[in-house]
Every structure is written in C-alpha cells, then in structure tokens.
C-alpha cells in the first residue's frame, strides 16, 4: 500500500517536493516512524498531521485513499 | 438562509481598498443591519537583524482551509445573531503596507458584530492551514509563526 503525503510551508521547501510517497504503512504511528527515518529533517521541524483534512491527535488507520498532510505551524492573517 | 455552502475565501495577491469599499456598499440594501465591524490585516515592515520585511508570500492547504472556514462560519452563526459575515485572505505575494486579510461582520447591533469579528480573526489565525513566508530587503526569507 502506497500513501501519498502532502507537504506544506517550510516542509515543502526543506524536502523540495509538493508530496512524498511511503510504502507499507497501515496507520499514522507507523507512518511517522518511517517518515522520520527516511527524512531526518522531519525531526528538526515541528509539524502536525492531518488525515482527510482533519488534524489527528491519536493513531489513525490509513488506506490508499487517505489524504495525509504534514502541516508546519500556521501563520495566516 | 443556509450558511453551509463552502465559500472561497482566497484572493490572489493583495486585497484592494476599493474591493473593501465595494463590499461595504453592497450591504446598503440590507436594512436590518445596524452595525458592521471590519478587521483589516496589513503587512508590517518588521525588522530582523537589520533587514526589513518587504512582502509576505502566502500559501495554503486550500481544500482544508475552506473546509475549516466553513465550520468556523457555522459556529459563529450559531453563537452570534449576525446578518452576514465575509472573510477574504490573500494567497501569493503581498507587499508591505498592503492588505492580506479582510473580515467583515454585520448585525442588527454593534456588540454581536464586534465580538463575532474578533472571534473570527482569532480562529482564522489559529485554525486555518495558511503559511506566510516573510521576504526581506536582502532577499532572505523566514517562515512566520503566529503567536
């Protein structure tokens, strides 16, 4: 299973891409572990995770259709 | 009247004062309104390490921002007896001194309009996935963080 992860703000700039793809993760906890090992920069920048446009605060089961996004601190207005 | 429709709030570049004027003018036919309250956000020339901000470049997770804004709109209409509310936020480059946020509430009486407007601005800053990158006069850039 391949999950597409949208990047925004500083993360988009630091990783140099609009999105990244991760294989073989079933839930958001496993996704974070794999992401941080593949992209060490993710341990340096604070961000929150949204699944299907909702911020998550605990483990969420993921499917190929899940829209995952990594969101650095907001600064609108 | 239903307020559930997801409205676009984004405007490319700065929000012009004439656009704001037109929006105010449009409400003259709604004669149950007794009070408007308006918040206008402008790009400040902050200084860091001897260099000045010349613009802010805004980007957003647009679909999520519009969905969240729609929820906030619903909450505000439940909490305050407003006639209407309008929110506009810039995307892209907005130079110093220009307008990047326009929040407009209207009600029969002033207190509802003022309180709703204030709450809207606070929630917009905290809850909408929008990012501003400050551009300095020496070409350097830093990501802004809302306090």
């Amino acid at each position: 299973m391949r999950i597409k992860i949208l990047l925004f703000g500083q993360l988009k700039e630091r990783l140099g891409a609009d999105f990244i793809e991760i294989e073989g993760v079933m839930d958001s906890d496993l996704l974070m572990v794999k992401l941080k090992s593949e992209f060490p920069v993710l341990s340096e920048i604070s961000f929150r995770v949204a699944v299907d446009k909702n911020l998550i605060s605990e483990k969420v089961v993921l499917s190929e259709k899940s829209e995952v996004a990594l969101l650095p601190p907001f600064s609108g207005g | 009247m239903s307020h559930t429709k997801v409205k676009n709030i984004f405007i490319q570049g700065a929000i012009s004062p004439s656009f704001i004027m037109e929006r105010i003018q449009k409400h003259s036919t709604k004669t149950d309104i007794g009070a408007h309250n308006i918040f206008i956000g402008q790009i400040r020339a902050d200084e860091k390490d001897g260099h000045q901000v010349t613009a802010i470049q805004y980007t957003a997770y647009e679909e999520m921002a519009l969905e969240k804004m729609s929820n906030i709109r619903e909450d505000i209409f439940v909490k305050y007896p407003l006639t209407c509310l309008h929110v506009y936020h810039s995307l892209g480059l907005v130079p110093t001194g220009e307008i990047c946020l326009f929040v407009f509430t209207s009600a029969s009486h002033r207190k509802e309009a003022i309180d709703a407007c204030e709450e809207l601005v606070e929630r917009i800053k905290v809850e909408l996935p929008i990012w501003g990158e400050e551009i300095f006069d020496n070409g350097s850039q830093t990501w802004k963080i809302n306090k």
Side-chain angles (χ1 to χ4, degrees):
Chain A
M1 185 172 78
R2 180 186 285 258
I3 306 244
K4 184 175 175 177
I5 299 130
L6 304 174
L7 302 172
F8 292 95
Q10 195 181 4
L11 288 173
K12 187 170 172 168
E13 184 183 274
R14 290 291 292 273
L15 291 169
D18 290 341
F19 65 90
I20 47 183
E21 288 182 314
I22 294 282
E23 288 273 7
V25 288
M26 308 307 284
D27 64 55
S28 54
D29 285 359
L30 290 171
L31 175 70
M32 280 310 112
V33 171
K34 197 154 183 190
L35 272 175
K36 287 188 175 176
S37 83
E38 284 193 30
F39 303 96
V41 67
L42 292 177
S43 301
E44 296 166 20
I45 298 169
S46 84
F47 63 89
R48 288 180 289 174
V49 180
V51 176
D52 297 330
K53 304 184 188 76
N54 287 304
L55 292 173
I56 60 166
S57 50
E58 46 194 47
K59 187 167 88 176
V60 171
V61 174
L62 300 172
S63 80
E64 262 188 353
K65 287 181 185 159
S66 300
E67 183 174 306
V68 180
L70 307 186
L71 312 177
F74 303 159
S75 50
Chain B
M1 186 165 68
S2 168
H3 303 292
T4 52
K5 191 170 152 263
V6 175
K7 288 186 184 173
N8 187 23
I9 62 166
F10 292 115
I11 287 183
Q12 205 58 44
I15 300 166
S16 75
S18 63
F19 174 79
I20 293 172
M21 204 177 69
E22 278 164 31
R23 300 307 305 184
I24 297 168
Q25 181 64 44
K26 274 195 172 184
H27 288 73
S28 61
T29 53
K30 294 189 177 181
T31 50
D32 52 340
I33 293 173
H36 296 302
N37 199 68
I38 285 174
F39 175 83
I40 296 172
Q42 174 170 303
I43 307 297
R44 191 175 50 237
D46 271 350
E47 244 185 63
K48 268 178 210 160
D49 306 324
H51 290 286
Q52 249 190 9
V53 170
T54 58
I56 291 181
Q57 173 81 35
Y58 285 105
T59 54
Y61 182 6
E62 290 185 49
E63 297 83 0
M64 179 174 165
L66 295 181
E67 214 174 280
K68 294 294 158 211
M69 189 61 235
S70 184
N71 297 342
I72 295 170
R73 192 187 299 273
E74 284 292 305
D75 290 349
I76 295 288
F77 272 115
V78 168
K79 191 165 170 186
Y80 301 96
L82 295 182
T83 311
C84 53
L85 75 83
H86 304 277
V87 172
Y88 298 95
H89 196 296
S90 291
L91 282 183
L93 199 69
V94 184
T96 300
E98 305 234 6
I99 295 163
C100 56
L101 175 62
F102 170 37
V103 180
F104 184 10
T105 54
S106 308
S108 295
H109 302 283
R110 67 185 181 285
K111 191 155 177 22
E112 295 86 272
I114 293 169
D115 292 350
C117 189
E118 188 180 354
E119 188 168 329
L120 269 166
V121 173
E122 294 307 315
R123 290 192 64 178
I124 286 164
K125 287 192 170 253
V126 172
E127 296 178 39
L128 297 192
I130 299 174
W131 296 273
E133 190 176 23
E134 292 173 322
I135 317 279
F136 289 86
D137 54 13
N138 63 343
S140 68
Q141 304 174 348
T142 59
W143 291 94
K144 205 173 145 249
I145 293 179
N146 280 350
K147 302 267 169 1

